[in-house]
Amino acid sequence: MKMSAAEISQVLKEGELEKRSDNLLQFWKRKTCVLTTDSLNIYADTQKRSKGKELKLQSIKKVDCVERTGKFVYFTIVTTDDKEIDFRCSGEENCWNAVITMALIDFQNRKAIQDFKTRQDHESASPGQQERRMARAP
């Protein structure tokens, strides 16, 4: 997988995370992850970065259940459809949960500003709305 120059400049964090598998035994599997301003990309193969899973920030509701033990920090990503994905990372390095949370907050703020500007543009495009608003002003 080749990333364009624009995508490379948007990378916030890159490294390894352990993800709990969805099967019955729930083993921890080491994954290579790349967090960008719009998504968390999870790759099984460290070298090829093929067959990756992209988890868009718009589909993440929150980062939850942060727990620190002696060696690891455990956290859960909750998606908008209430699916929970469990991760853990080494407690010694800059942990992923904080970086993902900050990227999620930044994404939500950018989306809120964009929605506000879109709403403002729609209101200013219809002159009747502007006149009604002015008439109500004290």
Side-chain angles (χ1 to χ4, degrees), residues 2 8 15 68 96 98 103 109 117:
K2 301 226 178 192
I8 290 171
R68 181 178 298 272
W96 281 84
N109 285 342
K117 286 181 179 179

Side-chain angles (χ1 to χ4, degrees), residues 74-124:
Y74 296 84
F75 62 97
T76 302
I77 291 179
V78 181
T79 62
T80 52
D81 58 349
D82 292 326
K83 182 180 175 191
E84 295 183 355
I85 307 167
D86 295 326
F87 292 95
R88 74 180 183 184
C89 58
S90 169
E92 292 145 14
E93 61 188 54
N94 184 11
C95 201
W96 281 84
N97 64 304
V99 180
I100 294 169
T101 300
M102 294 306 292
L104 182 60
I105 290 168
D106 182 57
F107 176 81
Q108 291 170 341
N109 285 342
R110 284 186 286 127
K111 186 177 180 320
I113 290 169
Q114 183 182 10
D115 291 348
F116 178 75
K117 286 181 179 179
T118 302
R119 192 171 55 244
Q120 269 190 329
D121 291 345
H122 282 65
E123 287 178 1
S124 64

Side-chain angles (χ1 to χ4, degrees), residues 7-20:
E7 289 175 316
I8 290 171
S9 66
Q10 293 179 342
V11 171
L12 301 174
K13 185 168 177 66
E14 187 172 354
E16 288 188 348
L17 258 178
E18 291 185 54
K19 179 182 175 290
R20 192 187 324 230

Side-chain angles (χ1 to χ4, degrees), residues 123-134:
E123 287 178 1
S124 64
S126 58
Q129 285 282 356
Q130 182 70 17
E131 290 172 9
R132 267 188 259 142
R133 243 188 305 148
M134 295 296 277

